[in-house]
Amino acid sequence: MSQTQATHTESLDEHDPDHNVQKKAKSRRPANTAFRQQRLKAWQPILTPKTVLPLFFAIGIIFAPIGGLLLWASSQVQEISIDYSDCQNVAPYNDEGPSIGYGQIPSNKVSTSFKKDESCSLGSNNPQWKRMNTTYKYRNYVPAEPSLMCSIQFTLPSNLDPPVFLYYRLTNFYQNHRRYVKSQDTNQLKGDAVSTETISSSNCDPLRVDKGEDGKPGKPYYPCGLIANSLFNDSFSNPVLLNVGNNNAMNRTYNMTNKGIAWDSDKVLYGATRYKPADIAVPPNWRKQYPAEGYSDENPPPNLEEYEEFQVWMRSAGLPAFSKLAKRNDKEKMACGTYQLDIIDSKSLLDKHSFTVNKNKTLTSRSTENPFLGIAYIVVGGICILLGALFTITHLIKPRKLGDHTYLTWNNDQPSTATATGFSRPVWAHKAHMAVGGHARSVDVSVCDTQGPDEALRAVHNELSAKKKLRKVKPRDPVPYTIQTYFHFVVSEDTASYYTPEVRDKLATAQFNALNVAYAPVGMSFNLQPSTFNINTTWATNADEISMKTTLRQGTYSALNIYFQSNLSSPGDYNDPSSFLLGYCELPTQVNRTTCSSQGSCITRSNPPLYYKTDGCNVLLPSMPGGGMQMYDQGKTAVHEVGHWFGLLHTFQDNSCEKGSTGDYIDDTPQEMTATDGCPVAKDTCPGSAGMDPVANYMDYSSDACYTNFTPLQADRIGDLYRKMRLGV
């Protein structure tokens, strides 16, 4: 739709008698705020060799000593570990009891770690074992069937300073199985007398209640569930020191306790039960410890609040090989010598599995020996130091330029944009987030498609630079100019409903302010004329630029026309709804005082707009302040393109770090090899030249949040170019 048509339509609406009566439809569009439109500022660390390399060395320097300390601490642990799984099958056995002699335990079932102790003259003797039947009392009950006892004799070649711990270790037992871990009732464990009906539907499956008469559900098990039923219930006696002082003196018992083996956090999960003994059943694997009739007043259920072995077992292990604390002594030293330890094998559930479960007992000082953590710290620290050294050497021998996007694969795939004048104009494309009219999507956006300077403009830049150098003129205070400015909103049919007059006024005001703020230090101000609004999908994509600008352009050659197009695209992408171009602008052609011989070859002050019909800047409408284009929604795209309209070039013009390269023809903008992407803290693509890359300069490719300035000589050049190229004076 042309400008005239759009204006006429709005005039008809204004004369409609029902125009003011109609209720405004409630919009579901999210509020145009930074939070709702996902435009909140974010902090992104910039990784450079100066930050990464010290980090590698710091991690190595910190981790390696910590690993060494952990490894040393592990080496200080003294322990003896014996696998007694086969004791019930292969150890010497005699029904008559203690008269049987001991047999040697296979060496592959024993592991030791001791320090040399000068105060002990004992050698390291191989442990021995035997098995026998014995009578064992479980709390208040002695079963009629004798229990199998495994008696082990072992030698400690060194004294064990307190604390001394006795662990049992299981391998190939999966306490972390999901159904196994869930099989318990927390309320019952806390002491509540949970009803049979509740237990029957609890997580204790398959051990919820026992079978009553006629196969009906009977009493609830206490405690119910698989974890409690599989309680490791081998019993360990206190170690007995034999032949004290290498003579016939009496043996001496080293007292260890099962108190204090559970964590405080475990103890709060359990309480004394409120069940009556007659109302609950003994778990299947516990029945050997109780009479046939089960719990009674003489043989009550265990007090789980004080039953620390049970609390330790209920803390499920995450791996199939695990150790759990059985006894401890925190005060007395365990003297070197030969000890006897008796183990009552309770024929627990572990012995009834179809797979093999190995049982170890470990006697140790402090904790079990485990060098893994120390080794892991040392390995990580060593790798970090090695990588830091390699990266440092690489950086010193072959440094990589910061911010050089030629290393990126997506940049290598860009099609050539060489022009007839022999230069290239990079069009950087990347993914961005755009939210317009409540519809958010990810799009491909190219930054700038402004053509490079022709020979005439290069000559003017050379001339102006030479005059500055010849006269040694310092940047002067800018001469103020007010530029007549025209905004043209060109939108597609599918976005027209969003860009209401209120929205357009808000966008235009914000963009106008952004231009004046940016160019005020340059001496340029803008006088905004009434904007036009046009609904034309072909124009909105820029598929017919000549027709659009011929119809819409206003003012003389010194007047600025900006076409804010809702779907601005690069050539070849007009039909791609997910590909957009931020903007481009036609560089100026010098205004002549004489009459031009042919249309378009030159411009005079008296030529009609037909001679410069393509003049002006094309800018993506969502890049206006609050327009919805992520990283590019502060109006700085228009500031950048208007810089081209005045005649300024990119700060990375000609992409060269060579001495003598003209670049953008401005002496106080540092040389820059490649354009800036985003908003890096620092970037130096020409380390051999003075100054860092001008990432905050409006004529780079930075994101809007990064743009802040023109240099003093750029400000000078804008005024000179405007007078010479636009005004012809």
Side-chain angles (χ1 to χ4, degrees):
M1 180 184 293
S2 69
Q3 171 195 359
T4 306
Q5 291 173 316
T7 306
H8 179 63
T9 302
E10 291 179 353
S11 298
L12 289 176
D13 288 339
E14 292 171 0
H15 290 84
D16 186 350
D18 297 328
H19 176 69
N20 296 326
V21 181
Q22 293 178 354
K23 293 183 178 180
K24 186 176 180 180
K26 186 177 180 180
S27 174
R28 299 180 64 184
R29 177 169 57 87
N32 187 21
T33 63
F35 178 77
R36 298 293 296 274
Q37 297 293 346
Q38 301 183 26
R39 300 194 303 269
L40 292 175
K41 294 182 179 180
W43 179 80
Q44 179 181 2
I46 304 300
L47 301 180
T48 65
K50 292 182 179 179
T51 58
V52 173
L53 293 178
L55 185 62
F56 271 108
F57 288 111
I59 293 175
I61 292 172
I62 294 172
F63 272 51
I66 292 176
L69 185 63
L70 292 172
L71 203 59
W72 173 84
S74 177
S75 68
Q76 298 303 301
V77 174
Q78 301 185 89
E79 69 175 23
I80 178 170
S81 179
I82 301 174
D83 181 354
Y84 68 94
S85 304
D86 295 335
C87 182
Q88 59 181 329
N89 299 319
V90 302
Y93 174 74
N94 191 325
D95 288 337
E96 297 180 0
S99 60
I100 187 71
Y102 284 85
Q104 184 170 320
I105 300 176
S107 59
N108 63 344
K109 294 184 178 297
V110 180
S111 65
T112 61
S113 177
F114 290 102
K115 296 185 295 183
K116 186 176 180 180
D117 193 335
E118 299 294 340
S119 63
C120 295
S121 59
L122 296 174
S124 180
N125 298 325
N126 292 327
Q128 297 178 317
W129 60 8
K130 71 176 180 179
R131 56 188 169 123
M132 67 187 73
N133 288 325
T134 187
T135 300
Y136 185 76
K137 183 178 181 180
Y138 295 93
R139 297 182 182 86
N140 299 326
Y141 174 68
V142 179
E145 179 185 353
S147 300
L148 181 67
M149 182 177 73
C150 179
S151 182
I152 298 176
Q153 290 186 354
F154 59 92
T155 300
L156 295 182
S158 303
N159 295 320
L160 297 185
D161 294 324
V164 178
F165 302 107
L166 177 64
Y167 290 91
Y168 62 87
R169 177 176 174 81
L170 302 181
T171 56
N172 204 31
F173 189 87
Y174 291 82
Q175 264 199 324
N176 60 350
H177 192 283
R178 182 177 61 87
R179 290 191 62 190
Y180 181 87
V181 173
K182 290 177 59 179
S183 187
Q184 59 177 299
D185 188 285
T186 56
N187 292 325
Q188 189 193 58
L189 296 175
K190 288 180 179 178
D192 296 344
V194 184
S195 66
T196 303
E197 293 75 14
T198 303
I199 291 293
S200 297
S201 59
S202 69
N203 290 329
C204 286
D205 183 55
L207 295 178
R208 295 170 173 169
V209 296
D210 69 347
K211 292 183 180 180
E213 298 179 0
D214 302 327
K216 295 181 180 179
K219 304 174 184 178
Y221 287 119
Y222 179 79
C224 67
L226 291 174
I227 309 180
N229 183 63
S230 62
L231 171 68
F232 182 83
N233 51 14
D234 285 5
S235 301
F236 300 96
S237 69
N238 285 324
V240 177
L241 178 60
L242 307 176
N243 300 323
V244 179
N246 293 322
N247 54 44
N248 294 325
M250 294 181 61
N251 300 335
R252 186 172 64 199
T253 300
Y254 181 74
N255 293 312
M256 305 188 77
T257 180
N258 57 10
K259 300 301 180 183
I261 62 174
W263 297 349
D264 291 338
S265 59
D266 292 335
K267 296 177 181 179
V268 299
L269 303 176
Y270 305 94
T273 183
R274 298 183 183 89
Y275 280 122
K276 294 180 180 180
D279 295 337
I280 49 179
V282 180
N285 201 44
W286 293 24
R287 286 173 182 164
K288 183 179 179 180
Q289 305 176 27
Y290 291 90
E293 61 272 15
Y295 295 127
S296 63
D297 291 336
E298 293 76 21
N299 294 280
N303 183 357
L304 302 185
E305 189 174 20
E306 300 177 355
Y307 195 3
E308 294 195 34
E309 296 99 318
F310 179 81
Q311 297 171 12
V312 171
W313 178 258
M314 292 294 289
R315 190 193 323 124
S316 302
L319 299 175
F322 57 89
S323 298
K324 290 183 181 289
L325 185 59
K327 288 188 174 185
R328 65 188 300 165
N329 186 316
D330 296 329
K331 298 180 179 179
E332 298 178 15
K333 177 177 69 174
M334 192 171 186
C336 56
T338 300
Y339 286 83
Q340 178 175 317
L341 179 70
D342 296 332
I343 304 172
I344 302 299
D345 193 334
S346 299
K347 294 290 183 182
S348 66
L349 185 66
L350 305 181
D351 306 308
K352 300 174 184 177
H353 284 293
S354 59
F355 52 86
T356 302
V357 177
N358 295 323
K359 300 185 288 187
N360 295 53
K361 71 95 180 174
T362 302
L363 191 65
T364 177
S365 63
R366 300 180 185 173
S367 180
T368 55
E369 183 179 15
N370 186 356
F372 172 78
L373 192 59
I375 294 174
Y377 268 83
I378 291 175
V379 169
V380 171
I383 291 176
C384 287
I385 291 176
L386 178 62
L387 290 177
L390 291 176
F391 292 156
T392 301
I393 294 172
T394 303
H395 179 63
L396 294 176
I397 295 177
K398 190 178 179 181
R400 173 174 170 173
K401 298 172 182 176
L402 297 181
D404 189 350
H405 294 276
T406 59
Y407 289 97
L408 302 176
T409 55
W410 58 262
N411 191 53
N412 295 335
D413 295 336
Q414 288 294 327
S416 174
T417 56
T419 64
T421 55
F423 51 82
S424 62
R425 49 182 176 88
V427 182
W428 289 49
H430 54 82
K431 288 288 185 183
H433 186 79
M434 186 170 73
V436 176
H439 301 287
R441 53 178 170 154
S442 179
V443 297
D444 294 316
V445 60
S446 302
V447 180
C448 180
D449 200 18
T450 297
Q451 298 278 350
D454 58 16
E455 292 304 321
L457 181 57
R458 286 181 180 271
V460 171
H461 272 290
N462 269 323
E463 176 189 346
L464 295 174
S465 296
K467 287 181 179 179
K468 293 288 182 185
K469 293 178 181 178
L470 181 63
R471 299 175 184 175
K472 298 181 180 180
V473 179
K474 296 182 179 180
R476 61 179 181 274
D477 292 335
V479 178
Y481 287 99
T482 300
I483 300 170
Q484 300 302 311
T485 305
Y486 301 87
F487 287 176
H488 306 283
F489 289 88
V490 184
V491 302
S492 60
E493 294 179 0
D494 60 339
T495 62
S497 60
Y498 168 68
Y499 292 107
T500 62
E502 293 82 5
V503 172
R504 298 199 305 271
D505 287 346
K506 185 175 181 180
L507 292 173
T509 300
Q511 183 63 77
F512 174 68
N513 291 335
L515 285 171
N516 277 315
V517 168
Y519 283 93
V522 178
M524 296 294 176
S525 62
F526 302 87
N527 182 22
L528 185 61
Q529 302 301 309
S531 303
T532 66
F533 177 60
N534 304 270
I535 304 174
N536 189 317
T537 301
T538 302
W539 289 2
T541 62
N542 210 40
D544 192 358
E545 178 188 13
I546 300 298
S547 173
M548 177 185 70
K549 291 186 174 180
T550 301
T551 304
L552 301 180
R553 198 192 187 288
Q554 299 182 46
T556 64
Y557 192 61
S558 61
L560 172 62
N561 284 254
I562 305 180
Y563 305 88
F564 293 103
Q565 295 158 273
S566 63
N567 301 69
L568 180 61
S569 303
S570 300
D573 293 331
Y574 299 139
N575 297 321
D576 186 351
S578 64
S579 180
F580 294 92
L581 173 66
L582 284 180
Y584 69 93
C585 201
E586 184 166 300
L587 293 168
T589 298
Q590 186 170 358
V591 173
N592 295 312
R593 299 170 184 267
T594 59
T595 303
C596 294
S597 58
S598 61
Q599 176 179 311
S601 60
C602 64
I603 299 171
T604 68
R605 284 178 287 182
S606 61
N607 282 145
L610 186 63
Y611 280 73
Y612 41 87
K613 56 189 175 185
T614 59
D615 180 59
C617 298
N618 300 59
V619 177
L620 185 66
L621 200 159
S623 72
M624 299 178 79
M629 176 59 72
Q630 182 189 35
M631 296 172 59
Y632 304 99
D633 59 354
Q634 298 181 22
K636 305 294 182 66
T637 296
V639 174
H640 174 95
E641 300 304 338
V642 170
H644 289 312
W645 184 81
F646 282 117
L648 291 184
L649 308 179
H650 290 130
T651 54
F652 51 88
Q653 185 67 43
D654 295 341
N655 305 106
S656 175
C657 293
E658 295 181 4
K659 292 184 179 180
S661 174
T662 54
D664 63 348
Y665 297 91
I666 306 293
D667 289 341
D668 61 353
T669 56
Q671 281 187 296
E672 187 177 15
M673 171 67 77
T674 58
T676 300
D677 184 21
C679 189
V681 174
K683 172 171 164 275
D684 190 6
T685 56
C686 292
S689 301
M692 303 290 285
D693 288 1
V695 296
N697 195 283
Y698 287 117
M699 301 314 295
D700 202 345
Y701 269 7
S702 309
S703 58
D704 280 14
C706 212
Y707 284 144
T708 60
N709 65 77
F710 292 108
T711 66
L713 288 181
Q714 279 180 318
D716 249 11
R717 187 63 51 85
I718 287 174
D720 291 341
L721 288 171
Y722 184 69
R723 286 188 295 275
K724 187 174 186 66
M725 307 293 285
R726 294 283 176 182
L727 297 178
V729 294

